[in-house]
């Protein structure tokens, strides 16, 4: 199979992986910022306002389609890379000391990505499907306005989803810790002066985003919010 | 020192191979790893057994012929060295040592520990050169001023000895560090610029054809490379390739 052009070659697959990855990272920022509105501790009033905006604005809904396309591209591209990389070493080593030269998470992006995908399916099922398709309870006195906050409280009442969400966010942390810096290298951005900045930003970003996401189900489950 | 070697034995390219145990005694810590194998082979020949086939040539770390995946690492423990530069003092009396060939689709095993690395030659032949007109109008190399920094970086890249440790180490069996070194050594110099686009495209195309995997930036190659070729060169290849792909005619 010839691997060439804007889609086929190994390098181009990596460019797409990096571009879609950075695009998904930009989405995480928006998502985390809006969800953090629950911490105003106003019974979800501010949060629901933002949720309504995100669910009804035409530009945002268009961006949502692009987001799904980006996600699918990232997954399909990742699966292709993963399967080609498996065939690149038909016979495995009897003894292999990966710990000597690489971090475990940099060599486990496929597994981490799969865990994330499973988490994401559950997550979409919990919130995206009811709010966009099957419908949610409306806020009293505000017809057409979903009460997504009450739905969060409902989902995170039982401990099982809370544990699964925490595990999902831990996978996200490790996936981002390699993915963030790796994307820059794949795009050819590697400079002695900026490498430490990229690395540190990536590490800080992975930690902040994951902790923020983890704190939400925990805060709701342990009734730390009114 | 007394050691137990667990060595991959395989009679031929198509034969089924397996790990075979060999006890070795009287190993001096001043021996190189290859000398230790020489002693073992001497014993095997005396006993009428088939000696272990392994690659070697210069035995001073400059040709890239010796290989061996030793105890889970390319060229064994130690950094910035080839197997011929690895001394037995890195091991302890009583150690068990795994010795395996490079494992990659692009490096099929010929016999025991010897692999066929001609895929690297084909990648090199696809574009790893500068075309020079030899019809009498040669230009003196020193007539072209080159910043010292660029010359040094090109020299660092040119230090690659084509050993294949990067491929052997990479969890994806990717040859990116090798190809990046071979692209960088020219693209950093004015003499290499005219053919830079064609070179990057052709060498990557050949690399993919040979069945090497895709780089995922684990950085393992840089650590195991005997010449400590930097990941910076991979980023340069990524840049050159991206520009060449978008602007080629
Ligand atoms: S880049 Fe390093 S490890 Fe790879 S072939 Fe060249 S010298 Fe060997
Ligand atoms: S034999 Fe030449 S580098 Fe080891």
């Amino acid at each position: 199979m010839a691997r060439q052009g804007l889609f086929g070659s190994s390098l181009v697959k990596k460019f797409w992986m990096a571009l879609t990855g950075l695009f998904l990272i930009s989405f995480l920022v928006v998502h985390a910022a809006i969800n953090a509105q629950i911490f105003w501790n106003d019974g979800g009033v501010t949060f629901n306002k933002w949720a309504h905006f995100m669910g009804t604005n035409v530009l945002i809904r268009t961006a949502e389609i692009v987001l799904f396309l980006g996600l699918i591209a990232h997954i399909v591209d990742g699966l292709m890379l993963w399967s080609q990389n498996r065939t690149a070493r038909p016979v495995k080593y009897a003894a292999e000391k990966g710990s000597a030269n690489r971090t475990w998470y940099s060599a486990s992006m496929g597994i981490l990505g799969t865990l994330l995908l499973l988490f994401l399916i559950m997550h979409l099922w919990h919130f995206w499907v009811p709010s966009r398709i099957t419908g949610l309870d409306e806020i009293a006195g505000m017809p057409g306005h979903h009460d997504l906050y009450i739905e969060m409280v409902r989902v995170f009442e039982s401990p099982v989803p809370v544990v699964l969400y925490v595990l999902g966010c831990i996978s996200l942390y490790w996936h981002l810790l390699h993915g963030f810096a790796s994307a820059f290298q794949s795009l050819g951005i590697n400079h002695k002066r900026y490498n430490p900045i990229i690395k540190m930003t990536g590490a800080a970003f992975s930690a902040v985003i994951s902790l923020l996401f983890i704190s939400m189900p925990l805060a709701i489950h342990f009734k730390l919010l009114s | 020192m007394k050691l137990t070697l667990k060595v991959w034995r395989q009679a031929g390219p198509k034969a089924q191979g397996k790990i075979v145990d060999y006890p070795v005694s009287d190993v001096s810590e001043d021996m190189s790893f290859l000398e230790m194998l020489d002693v073992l082979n001497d014993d095997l020949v005396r006993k009428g057994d088939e000696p272990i086939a392994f690659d070697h040539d210069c035995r001073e770390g400059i040709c890239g012929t010796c290989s061996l995946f030793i105890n889970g690492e390319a060229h064994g423990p130690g950094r910035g060295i080839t197997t011929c530069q690895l001394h037995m003092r890195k091991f302890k009396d009583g150690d068990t040592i795994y010795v395996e060939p490079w494992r990659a689709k692009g490096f099929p095993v010929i016999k025991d520990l010897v692999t066929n690395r001609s895929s690297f030659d084909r990648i090199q032949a696809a574009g790893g050169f500068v075309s020079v007109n030899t019809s009498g109008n040669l230009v003196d190399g020193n007539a072209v001023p080159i910043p010292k920094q660029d010359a040094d970086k090109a020299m660092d890249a040119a230090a690659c000895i084509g050993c294949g440790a990067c491929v052997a180490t990479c969890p994806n069996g990717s040859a990116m560090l090798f190809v990046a070194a071979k692209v960088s050594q020219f693209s950093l110099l004015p003499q290499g610029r005219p053919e830079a686009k064609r070179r990057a495209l052709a060498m990557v195309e050949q690399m993919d054809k040979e069945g090497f995997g895709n780089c995922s930036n684990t950085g393992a190659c840089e650590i195991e490379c005997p010449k400590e070729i930097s990941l910076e060169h991979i980023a340069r290849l990524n840049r050159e390739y991206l520009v060449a792909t978008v602007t080629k005619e």
Side-chain angles (χ1 to χ4, degrees), chain B residues 34 55-67 75 82-85 161:
Chain B
L34 297 187
D55 259 332
H56 60 103
D57 190 10
C58 71
R59 298 215 177 192
E60 56 179 1
I62 55 169
C63 74
T65 310
C66 62
S67 42
H75 297 300
T82 51
T83 297
C84 56
Q85 295 173 300
I161 52 178

Side-chain angles (χ1 to χ4, degrees), chain A residues 10 14 85 88-89 94 182 188, chain B residues 100 103 208 214-215 217 239:
Chain A
S10 58
K14 292 281 303 161
N85 289 349
R89 177 158 300 136
S182 177
Chain B
E100 297 174 79
R103 295 287 188 204
D208 288 348
N214 308 289
C215 170
N217 306 324
R239 282 199 297 277

Side-chain angles (χ1 to χ4, degrees), chain B:
Chain B
M1 282 200 278
K2 274 195 170 60
L3 302 166
T4 307
L5 295 189
K6 285 179 170 290
V7 183
W8 181 261
R9 300 301 309 258
Q10 181 174 337
K14 297 248 151 27
Q16 183 77 33
K18 64 170 193 295
I19 299 268
V20 178
D21 288 13
Y22 294 99
V24 277
S25 42
D26 292 334
V27 176
S28 145
E29 56 176 29
D30 297 327
M31 284 176 176
S32 80
F33 200 85
L34 297 187
E35 282 163 342
M36 185 271 298
L37 287 178
D38 290 339
V39 171
L40 170 60
N41 270 347
D42 218 39
D43 270 1
L44 290 176
V45 171
R46 265 176 235 278
K47 280 193 238 157
D49 288 343
E50 179 83 8
I52 301 164
F54 63 91
D55 259 332
H56 60 103
D57 190 10
C58 71
R59 298 215 177 192
E60 56 179 1
I62 55 169
C63 74
T65 310
C66 62
S67 42
L68 305 187
F69 210 71
I70 301 165
N71 265 355
E73 283 186 82
H75 297 300
R79 297 290 167 250
I81 54 163
T82 51
T83 297
C84 56
Q85 295 173 300
L86 172 67
H87 284 94
M88 295 313 293
R89 65 181 77 99
K90 282 272 180 191
F91 301 92
K92 290 191 310 291
D93 188 40
D95 274 1
T96 300
I97 306 174
Y98 278 85
V99 190
E100 297 174 79
W102 287 169
R103 295 287 188 204
K105 193 172 167 207
F107 292 161
V109 172
I110 298 172
K111 187 177 180 184
D112 296 339
L113 303 170
V114 179
T115 56
N116 183 347
R117 283 171 279 180
S118 56
S119 48
F120 269 16
D121 299 337
R122 288 188 292 274
I123 294 174
Q124 191 71 354
F129 49 81
V130 171
S131 310
V132 179
N133 186 344
T134 53
S135 59
N137 47 4
L138 279 182
V139 180
D140 174 17
N142 291 323
V144 186
I146 297 169
K148 170 89 168 93
Q149 225 190 345
D150 293 355
D152 284 352
K153 271 195 182 156
M155 203 57 203
D156 287 347
C160 165
I161 52 178
C163 63
C166 41
V167 175
T169 295
C170 176
N172 312 318
S174 162
M176 277 294 277
L177 196 63
F178 166 76
V179 177
K182 296 304 175 196
V183 163
S184 281
Q185 67 184 6
F186 294 120
S187 70
L188 283 160
L189 302 176
Q191 291 88 341
R193 288 316 306 170
E195 293 167 297
K197 280 187 200 171
R198 196 190 52 78
R199 180 181 305 115
L201 291 172
M203 289 182 80
V204 168
E205 190 191 342
Q206 190 63 34
M207 170 181 87
D208 288 348
K209 264 194 207 145
E210 300 288 350
F212 292 109
N214 308 289
C215 170
S216 65
N217 306 324
T218 67
C221 53
E222 180 185 44
I223 292 181
E224 298 289 350
C225 169
K227 299 300 158 189
E228 303 180 315
I229 305 287
S230 161
L231 290 184
E232 187 193 320
H233 298 298
I234 294 188
R236 180 173 300 102
L237 172 57
N238 288 339
R239 282 199 297 277
E240 299 244 333
Y241 187 87
L242 184 56
V243 170
T245 305
V246 177
T247 61
K248 77 171 170 220
E249 285 167 6

